[in-house]
Amino acid sequence: VVIVVLFRDHNSKQRERNQYKQRKALLTTQSPPTVSLTVMAKYAYAPLQIDQNRRGNQGGSSGNNLSGMMMSSSNNNSNIPSQADKDDGNDQLVQERMPMCVAICVLLAIVFVLSKGSGDIDLQAQQQLQQQQQHSLRSMDTPQVGATAATATTATTTASGHHSEVYPKPGMVQQQDLVDMNMVPEAAPDSLAAASTTTVNTATIETPPVASCPDCPTCPEPTTTTTTTTPNILDDPNALMAKLRQDALDSTPPHIIECSSAEAGESQDACHLPKSERYTALGQKGATLWMTGCSGAGKTTIATALEDLLVKHHGKHVYRLDGDNLRTGLNRDLTFTEADRAESVRRTGELATLFSDAGVITLVGLISPYRGDRDLVRKRHEDQGIPFYEIFLDVPIDELKARDPKGQYARVDSGELKHFTCIDDPYEEPLDPEITLKTHELKIEESAKILLQRLEKDGILMGPPKVTPPGLPNPDGDLLVDLLVSPTEAPSKQAEAATLPKVLLTDIDLNWLQTVAEGWAAPLTGFMREGILLETLHFNSLLVDPFNITGNGDKLTTKTKFEDFNPHRPNHRVSMPIPITLSLTEFTKDSIEESGKQDVALVTRMGKMIAILRNVEIYENRKEEIVTRMFGAIDMGHPYIKNIYAGGDYLIGGEIELLERIVYNDGLDQWRKTVTELLQEFDDKGADTVYAFQTRNPTHAGHAYLMKSAGEDLKRQGYENPVLWLSPLGGWTKSDDVPLDVRVKQHEEVLKMGTDHPGGLDPASTVMSIWPAPMVYAGPTEVQFHAKSRRCAGASYFVVGRDPAGMKGSMEAVAHQDDDLYDGNHGRYVLQNSPGIEDMKMLSFVKVMYDVTDNVMKVPDESRMDDFISISGTKMRLLARNGAVPCSATDIPTDLVEANCIPSGFMVPDGWDLVVDYYKNIDNTTRWIPWSQPHVDPPAAEGTVSTGSFGFSTFAMQNVGSASFWHDIEYMPSAYKNTEKGIINMVTEIPMYMAAKMEVDKSSPGNPIIQDSNKDGSPRYYTYGTPFFNYGLIPQTWEDPDLKTGLFGGDNDPIDVMELGSTSLKMGSVTPCRVLGSMELIDEGEMDHKILCISLSDPDASRIHNMDDLEAVKPGYIAKIVHWWKYYKTSDGKDVNSLGSETPRTVDQALQVLEEVHHRWRSLCGLDGTRRTALSSHTDGFWLASQGCRA
């Protein structure tokens, strides 16, 4: 067995070519020597970066040139190196190179043994062929660019016994051109082989010479026998190396155990930082974009443009791999054979996998002509859970030849280059690439933008997991916020809420609760704690760590600490410009602290327990600081500033659990969609991007033009299906804004008209959804929140006009009275540069006018301005109030107000009719729904009937069983007159926890229960806290103003009663109640008695008979009652009330008061003979015509 190990020095190709020529000349004159066993004294397999000095003494300038050694060993018998040569070796070098040498020897032995069994030639021919192969191996030339797995060699034995070898003849240059990666040398060496397909070695073996025949005049010609043999891999070092590589790969275990935490054949992720944490910390995901296509298709050019976009504009980590940087180092040992091409793709794929696993967006630009090689790379990525995008640059050959930036296609056409991929070598097009780019039809920037949009769509440019549909941005904090408890949990949590301290929500608070609970203010999950409020006020943004990368995962949900800081700051900033806080009074604060509980129930003004606030934090409401930082203006007449100052002196923060979905029952709930529902609707429409248009006014054709133009512009940017979100403001607005229902119904007509009118919108590409948050009119600060909350619901673009969220200063403003508080240009500028806005983009309004030539709103043509007229918002409102009718389509006057007409193309007709109806009836406030306020059914008792809307001035409740709550119900229930003293009937006006101030109407027929009003006519509500008692009247009583207690007369109403039990009573119910005592409230110069009682059906009624019993059963309750009546009006800006006594009256004293006010009622009704004319003038207008009040 002859084992020969050859190593070529990559740095000595030219010298080897010369040696090749010398060996060839020598071998043509002599047979190769017999080599029994050659043991190589020097062996080298270490990488090229091993210091050349360590190999300098091993055989010449080329280091360890074993081809040279073999040449010398054939000319002398000293095959075993001397001791001095051994001493020159380095132990470290031996250790580095020995394993590969042994492996190669073993593999060659295997190849040799296998080759012994093949072929049909005789033994002599086999021996000759083996000698030829050994000789060929010793004298092998440098591997050839484009060489095949085997090289043709012809061995011939003549009749005379002479041996000769015919070596491959240097032929035409063969090379693969990678034009856009500069991988081809300018001139190929002449010695490079030109074969690209596997050829078969043919050994022509002549038979022994035929003996002379004396009878013949001449001898016959020698005959020959030709035998074809299987090519031997030893003939081609490139094929040999490919075989060795493949054998090594095949013998390598497919799964390496990287650490003790992992198992063989399983994922090794346990040995690494988890991808989710790595990607979240980096702010991007790893992915590989594999660009394949013919030479010159633009792979490197487009990859470079995309790299520029990602790095410079988006701040992402990107690296580009192509022939230049790969063949400089990693792939420098590879040629352009099919096997080496496959190895190049494999190595590049492995490198890309590692880069992408590390969070790098990896751009690969390789021709990679073979589909199978690319598919293996894809599978490798898929096995590792790494996104892989095959990008096919599909360009016609004619276009490639026309481009030909380096002249390679011209060389192919001239015949100078052969086996050129896509010309005379195959290129296997991808069957199902993720993206196909026809770069001959696209600009470079357009191709790069298509790739960028795909990365955005798939969430590659964000680190955390994508939680929204493809193409839509993640909400701030990268987590969807939906705080509604599940239906199965709701009953138990409702029961828990009943046991918790109660915090009152105003209707504006309810808007904010909806905003937070439905995810519009992500990542907030509750009302702001003090630290979060400070960040909002000072930075208009928050630092957050929702995935706990820096150990700050609970930052938003834990109580503020001012002395114990985490040493590591959160790693992500999100926009949060508007304080979202909940105020409470000292009364509520004390109630919470006295309860000893960390959670509270949130209760609407109608008494509904709507949510639980967990782990609460109470802190000072620094109103002036909030106002000045939030508004940057001093204007005590500003409507939202007034709202802030009207709040309590404390704020409460905590996390929300929404017990039931917030609905308003105003006929508009179909347009109120949660963030989750909106995202689903966008997905159902196939949106690849969403742009939001916020409305505070009816939509006219100018608005429609801007919205449609924005959609067309997005399509030009490469989006296929941009969806418009028509987003009317739904929360609280100031009183002179267009009501919500008018706007929404007008928008309905706009969608109904579709594209048949210039002012219509296509419903197929439009979604309308009410935005729930209140307006605060904070100009540049507020518009940031408008944009941020739309992004949380899926919008990538926000249309913003002049002076967004601004208003005129009031007459109380320090500056800008009756003038814009904010410069009209500031909002757009601040929004574009605000912190935490991320990649959301702004679409600005442009000025549009009405073109009378075609009845369309558009950007005016400066060359014919006489054809355009301006219709401002002020002019539109005036025309609507005047009931303007459509103008002639062919004769539109320049003075629309004088003609009292509106151009037909200005607004959809039915929408205009709605606007006219509103402005003509603007003063009838009961017709309109100004903003989102709950319309709920009253908690009514049986036997009652209601009209109007509960909580509004139109509401009234009648008693069906009797004509009047006041006059026709017994003062004391007859069933108890002879059994227990001090039992009275109570008519409930205000059930426990309800803040709507209700009272019996003394003037209307039937004396219904109605909504009490403030002096300005607005509904009146308790604002000091949730009433912890049931409140009502005792029928057949009257506090006569002429009856003086000291200096104060009665309040001219039925006497009030507080029921102090633990159960909420129904409105309009009549409840037998045991009198416990009374209080005397001096209110605005009147004596207002409050009878204290407990319902006989209350669980504690058997234990409570007087005020002492009450204090014993409910400690602190009396003090709580006293505090309430003294301070309950202070939250409305009024003074503290006075009490006739801080100590409640006894039962007997209370009964004396009751006897007196009952007697006064009898006088009022004339039941004791008193004539009406003898009564106070304060009774004028009282309705006394009920059966119980007649003499």
Side-chain angles (χ1 to χ4, degrees):
V1 177
V2 178
I3 302 177
V4 181
V5 183
L6 285 181
F7 293 88
R8 45 185 290 269
D9 188 337
H10 291 269
N11 296 322
S12 306
K13 291 184 179 181
Q14 186 57 48
R15 186 167 60 81
E16 288 182 349
R17 292 190 184 99
N18 296 334
Q19 292 173 346
Y20 164 75
K21 295 176 181 178
Q22 295 170 3
R23 292 195 301 272
K24 181 178 179 183
L26 178 63
L27 290 171
T28 57
T29 60
Q30 65 180 37
S31 298
T34 301
V35 181
S36 59
L37 178 62
T38 302
V39 180
M40 308 308 298
K42 301 291 183 182
Y43 42 88
Y45 77 96
L48 292 177
Q49 63 263 35
I50 298 295
D51 187 356
Q52 293 295 328
N53 292 332
R54 293 164 55 187
R55 296 188 284 175
N57 297 324
Q58 297 179 16
S61 61
S62 62
N64 189 10
N65 190 331
L66 295 184
S67 295
M69 288 183 62
M70 285 301 300
M71 191 66 185
S72 65
S73 68
S74 66
N75 294 323
N76 61 71
N77 295 324
S78 299
N79 292 324
I80 305 301
S82 67
Q83 184 64 39
D85 291 332
K86 292 182 179 180
D87 292 339
D88 289 339
N90 184 285
D91 288 343
Q92 182 177 354
L93 193 60
V94 170
Q95 291 299 321
E96 291 171 343
R97 298 181 173 179
M98 176 63 78
M100 180 61 81
C101 182
V102 172
I104 291 174
C105 291
V106 171
L107 288 172
L108 285 176
I110 294 172
V111 170
F112 176 81
V113 171
L114 292 175
S115 67
K116 289 285 289 180
S118 62
D120 297 325
I121 61 176
D122 57 29
L123 180 60
Q124 178 184 0
Q126 290 185 34
Q127 293 172 344
Q128 292 174 343
L129 189 58
Q130 290 169 8
Q131 293 173 350
Q132 295 161 13
Q133 290 169 346
Q134 294 166 3
H135 181 72
S136 174
L137 185 59
R138 290 195 298 272
S139 58
M140 188 64 66
D141 188 20
T142 303
Q144 305 162 359
V145 175
T148 60
T151 304
T153 302
T154 303
T156 304
T157 303
T158 66
S160 60
H162 292 115
H163 172 84
S164 65
E165 286 190 10
V166 181
Y167 283 85
K169 181 179 181 180
M172 188 65 65
V173 174
Q174 177 217 344
Q175 61 186 33
Q176 172 56 53
D177 176 35
L178 300 179
V179 172
D180 49 354
M181 287 174 278
N182 297 318
M183 291 173 56
V184 179
E186 291 298 326
D190 293 338
S191 63
L192 300 184
S196 64
T197 58
T198 302
T199 59
V200 178
N201 291 353
T202 302
T204 303
I205 305 175
E206 299 187 2
T207 60
V210 180
S212 300
C213 180
D215 298 331
C216 296
T218 59
C219 292
E221 294 291 329
T223 60
T224 62
T225 301
T226 302
T227 304
T228 301
T229 65
T230 302
N232 197 307
I233 197 170
L234 298 179
D235 290 339
D236 187 349
N238 291 329
L240 174 61
M241 288 304 297
K243 180 68 167 62
L244 294 177
R245 276 197 307 265
Q246 187 59 50
D247 290 345
L249 288 172
D250 292 343
S251 65
T252 302
H255 300 286
I256 304 298
I257 302 177
E258 298 183 26
C259 65
S260 60
S261 302
E263 298 291 338
E266 297 181 359
S267 170
Q268 302 296 303
D269 286 348
C271 306
H272 300 270
L273 182 68
K275 284 190 183 72
S276 59
E277 293 184 18
R278 181 190 301 276
Y279 292 167
T280 298
L282 293 176
Q284 68 179 71
K285 298 181 182 70
T288 294
L289 283 71
W290 192 280
M291 301 186 194
T292 178
C294 297
S295 179
K299 297 179 290 297
T300 297
T301 302
I302 293 170
T304 301
L306 178 60
E307 182 181 36
D308 192 75
L309 273 176
L310 290 171
V311 174
K312 294 180 180 178
H313 296 180
H314 295 268
K316 302 305 176 184
H317 301 282
V318 184
Y319 199 76
R320 182 166 47 85
L321 298 174
D322 58 23
D324 287 341
N325 51 24
L326 292 172
R327 290 195 178 268
T328 299
L330 181 66
N331 290 347
R332 67 180 295 185
D333 60 322
L334 301 179
T335 66
F336 293 93
T337 64
E338 181 176 351
D340 278 10
R341 284 180 178 278
E343 176 63 9
S344 174
V345 171
R346 188 193 70 81
R347 291 184 190 179
T348 305
E350 290 293 336
L351 184 60
T353 302
L354 292 174
F355 274 26
S356 298
D357 186 57
V360 177
I361 298 172
T362 309
L363 312 179
V364 178
L366 290 180
I367 289 178
S368 43
Y370 302 113
R371 189 178 299 127
D373 296 339
R374 298 192 302 266
D375 289 345
L376 288 174
V377 175
R378 175 189 293 277
K379 185 177 186 304
R380 182 73 172 123
H381 281 73
E382 291 174 348
D383 290 345
Q384 297 298 311
I386 298 170
F388 179 83
Y389 299 87
E390 187 175 31
I391 301 164
F392 176 35
L393 277 64
D394 185 8
V395 184
I397 292 296
D398 290 344
E399 174 66 23
L400 296 173
K401 291 181 177 181
R403 291 179 182 178
D404 201 10
K406 295 187 178 180
Q408 304 299 338
Y409 284 96
R411 296 174 67 187
V412 173
D413 288 344
S414 69
E416 183 181 353
L417 294 180
K418 293 293 185 181
H419 303 289
F420 192 85
T421 301
C422 298
I423 302 297
D424 52 358
D425 251 18
Y427 174 80
E428 299 172 359
E429 294 184 358
L431 298 178
D432 190 21
E434 278 71 17
I435 300 171
T436 297
L437 294 178
K438 296 182 179 295
T439 61
H440 57 294
E441 299 174 358
L442 298 167
K443 296 178 181 178
I444 295 172
E445 297 79 7
E446 292 172 336
S447 295
K449 188 67 179 291
I450 290 172
L451 300 181
L452 175 67
Q453 288 174 354
R454 179 59 181 269
L455 295 178
E456 290 178 327
K457 178 180 179 180
D458 292 351
I460 301 300
L461 302 189
M462 62 179 67
K466 186 160 178 57
V467 296
T468 55
L472 308 188
N474 265 9
D476 283 358
D478 298 295
L479 294 173
L480 283 173
V481 174
D482 187 349
L483 305 180
L484 180 65
V485 302
S486 68
T488 57
E489 294 179 303
S492 62
K493 290 185 180 294
Q494 285 279 7
E496 179 190 2
T499 68
L500 299 175
K502 310 298 187 294
V503 175
L504 175 65
L505 298 175
T506 68
D507 287 347
I508 294 178
D509 295 332
L510 186 64
N511 292 162
W512 284 124
L513 175 66
Q514 181 183 10
T515 301
V516 174
E518 291 181 355
W520 301 90
L524 278 188
T525 56
F527 287 102
M528 287 182 175
R529 299 177 181 276
E530 188 170 14
I532 304 307
L533 174 61
L534 289 174
E535 289 188 50
T536 297
L537 292 176
H538 290 267
F539 310 127
N540 282 4
S541 59
L542 301 177
L543 282 173
V544 298
D545 182 13
F547 299 94
N548 202 34
I549 301 300
T550 62
N552 289 280
D554 59 354
K555 177 173 178 282
L556 299 182
T557 59
T558 55
K559 295 182 179 180
T560 305
K561 300 175 182 178
F562 290 108
E563 296 179 356
D564 182 15
F565 296 99
N566 190 313
H568 305 289
R569 283 159 53 98
N571 59 349
H572 187 52
R573 186 173 294 279
V574 299
S575 176
M576 190 62 67
I578 296 296
I580 302 179
T581 57
L582 177 60
S583 73
L584 70 167
T585 62
E586 185 176 4
F587 168 79
T588 304
K589 169 182 171 292
D590 292 344
S591 298
I592 296 170
E593 293 174 348
E594 290 167 3
S595 73
K597 296 187 177 181
Q598 294 297 309
D599 306 325
V600 301
L602 304 183
V603 182
T604 70
R605 296 204 291 188
M606 298 308 172
K608 179 184 289 292
M609 285 178 284
I610 192 70
I612 293 175
L613 199 65
R614 299 290 188 188
N615 190 29
V616 297
E617 174 183 343
I618 299 174
Y619 56 100
E620 183 182 357
N621 186 3
R622 302 176 66 87
K623 301 176 185 179
E624 185 176 32
E625 180 180 352
I626 293 173
V627 167
T628 52
R629 288 199 170 272
M630 180 175 173
F631 293 91
I634 301 174
D635 182 1
M636 297 306 294
H638 187 291
Y640 200 84
I641 291 176
K642 290 170 67 174
N643 176 69
I644 291 175
Y645 276 102
D649 292 333
Y650 298 91
L651 298 175
I652 184 170
E655 284 61 62
I656 293 167
E657 290 181 359
L658 191 65
L659 301 181
E660 60 181 78
R661 180 167 180 169
I662 296 174
V663 295
Y664 295 94
N665 299 309
D666 55 3
L668 305 177
D669 282 329
Q670 63 172 316
W671 301 112
R672 293 185 176 95
K673 301 163 186 176
T674 68
V675 166
T676 303
E677 290 170 340
L678 259 179
L679 290 171
Q680 184 60 56
E681 188 164 356
F682 293 145
D683 193 32
D684 292 342
K685 286 187 176 291
D688 55 0
T689 193
V690 173
Y691 61 109
F693 188 94
Q694 175 176 287
T695 65
R696 286 171 59 184
N697 290 291
T699 296
H700 56 65
H703 299 133
Y705 171 83
L706 293 171
M707 288 183 262
K708 288 183 282 192
S709 296
E712 292 302 318
D713 183 60
L714 291 173
K715 288 182 179 179
R716 285 190 291 271
Q717 294 182 35
Y719 294 105
E720 296 181 359
N721 189 30
V723 169
L724 166 66
W725 172 11
L726 189 62
S727 182
L729 298 171
W732 173 87
T733 54
K734 53 189 176 67
S735 60
D736 60 349
D737 278 355
V738 179
L740 174 62
D741 61 334
V742 175
R743 288 182 279 122
V744 170
K745 291 177 180 178
Q746 193 270 346
H747 296 346
E748 290 176 356
E749 297 300 329
V750 168
L751 292 172
K752 188 184 300 182
M753 182 60 69
T755 57
D756 294 337
H757 187 278
L761 295 171
D762 183 5
S765 60
T766 305
V767 171
M768 183 166 74
S769 176
I770 295 172
W771 185 65
M775 280 288 291
V776 300
Y777 304 96
T781 299
E782 183 177 7
V783 73
Q784 297 173 65
F785 183 72
H786 290 177
K788 169 243 172 51
S789 62
R790 270 40 177 248
R791 185 176 65 252
C792 286
S796 296
Y797 293 85
F798 183 63
V799 182
V800 58
R802 183 186 178 279
D803 194 22
M807 63 170 288
K808 292 185 180 297
S810 75
M811 299 311 296
E812 299 178 53
V814 173
H816 306 294
Q817 294 181 358
D818 198 31
D819 192 11
D820 291 343
L821 280 175
Y822 308 104
D823 186 285
N825 295 311
H826 288 183
R828 283 181 289 192
Y829 181 87
V830 169
L831 180 58
Q832 195 69 41
N833 296 281
S834 61
I837 203 65
E838 298 295 336
D839 292 330
M840 192 172 198
K841 302 168 184 67
M842 310 307 146
L843 303 174
S844 293
F845 274 105
V846 294
K847 182 177 178 58
V848 294
M849 300 177 69
Y850 194 89
D851 189 345
V852 298
T853 64
D854 59 4
N855 289 294
V856 173
M857 296 283 284
K858 63 182 66 168
V859 178
D861 184 343
E862 296 293 338
S863 65
R864 53 183 187 90
M865 290 302 294
D866 291 343
D867 293 334
F868 292 87
I869 58 176
S870 176
I871 307 175
S872 65
T874 301
K875 184 182 292 186
M876 182 201 73
R877 288 187 288 271
L878 179 58
L879 289 168
R881 185 180 284 272
N882 294 339
V885 297
C887 304
S888 168
T890 58
D891 185 18
I892 300 175
T894 56
D895 191 339
L896 299 176
V897 175
E898 182 180 358
N900 196 32
C901 71
I902 191 76
S904 60
F906 176 73
M907 188 179 290
V908 297
D910 290 344
W912 176 252
D913 292 342
L914 287 168
V915 174
V916 169
D917 181 46
Y918 165 66
Y919 279 106
K920 292 182 70 173
N921 298 279
I922 193 172
D923 297 326
N924 185 2
T925 58
T926 60
R927 278 194 59 184
W928 317 114
I929 299 172
W931 49 285
S932 297
Q933 293 176 275
H935 292 67
V936 300
D937 294 331
E942 293 184 8
T944 62
V945 60
S946 302
T947 58
S949 184
F950 178 48
F952 295 85
S953 58
T954 57
F955 176 78
M957 174 182 282
Q958 295 279 2
N959 188 339
V960 176
S962 59
S964 168
F965 283 112
W966 185 14
H967 302 304
D968 295 334
I969 297 172
E970 291 183 305
Y971 154 59
M972 288 187 176
S974 55
Y976 293 94
K977 285 182 179 178
N978 299 321
T979 58
E980 183 176 351
K981 179 183 177 182
I983 305 299
I984 51 91
N985 274 327
M986 172 187 175
V987 176
T988 300
E989 297 169 312
I990 307 173
M992 185 181 295
Y993 308 132
M994 195 177 81
K997 183 69 171 68
M998 315 300 291
E999 66 178 6
V1000 162
D1001 183 356
K1002 295 172 292 188
S1003 301
S1004 297
N1007 305 121
I1009 297 174
I1010 62 171
Q1011 172 72 53
D1012 195 6
S1013 298
N1014 294 309
K1015 292 180 179 179
D1016 63 359
S1018 62
R1020 184 182 173 195
Y1021 293 88
Y1022 289 124
T1023 60
Y1024 196 57
T1026 56
F1028 54 95
F1029 46 82
N1030 295 291
Y1031 192 74
L1033 68 115
I1034 299 176
Q1036 298 183 345
T1037 62
W1038 175 50
E1039 292 195 78
D1040 187 350
D1042 293 337
L1043 178 63
K1044 303 291 183 179
T1045 302
L1047 300 176
F1048 308 105
D1051 67 355
N1052 205 31
D1053 290 325
I1055 197 168
D1056 298 325
V1057 58
M1058 294 175 66
E1059 195 279 322
L1060 305 179
S1062 56
T1063 304
S1064 178
L1065 303 177
K1066 296 292 186 180
M1067 183 186 298
S1069 62
V1070 179
T1071 304
C1073 200
R1074 177 182 295 123
V1075 175
L1076 304 177
S1078 68
M1079 297 183 63
E1080 296 148 351
L1081 173 66
I1082 301 173
D1083 184 6
E1084 298 181 358
E1086 299 175 337
M1087 179 63 72
D1088 188 3
H1089 287 90
K1090 310 292 183 184
I1091 299 299
L1092 309 177
C1093 74
I1094 188 167
S1095 168
L1096 295 183
S1097 62
D1098 189 84
D1100 292 323
S1102 62
R1103 298 193 295 158
I1104 302 176
H1105 294 79
N1106 51 50
M1107 299 307 295
D1108 291 338
D1109 292 344
L1110 178 66
E1111 185 64 20
V1113 174
K1114 299 183 177 184
Y1117 211 74
I1118 294 175
K1120 193 173 182 179
I1121 295 170
V1122 170
H1123 180 95
W1124 172 272
W1125 288 117
K1126 288 180 65 176
Y1127 295 97
Y1128 82 101
K1129 289 186 176 181
T1130 58
S1131 56
D1132 298 323
K1134 297 182 179 180
D1135 294 333
V1136 176
N1137 287 327
S1138 298
L1139 299 178
S1141 172
E1142 296 278 332
T1143 302
R1145 305 298 184 185
T1146 64
V1147 173
D1148 290 336
Q1149 290 172 323
L1151 291 176
Q1152 290 176 5
V1153 172
L1154 281 172
E1155 286 296 326
E1156 182 61 38
V1157 296
H1158 177 62
H1159 175 73
R1160 291 285 171 166
W1161 171 80
R1162 290 177 58 80
S1163 297
L1164 175 65
C1165 291
L1167 297 178
D1168 61 354
T1170 302
R1171 299 180 63 85
R1172 183 69 179 269
T1173 55
L1175 299 176
S1176 168
S1177 61
H1178 295 291
T1179 63
D1180 293 347
F1182 282 6
W1183 186 79
L1184 304 174
S1186 69
Q1187 183 67 35
C1189 196
R1190 292 174 182 171

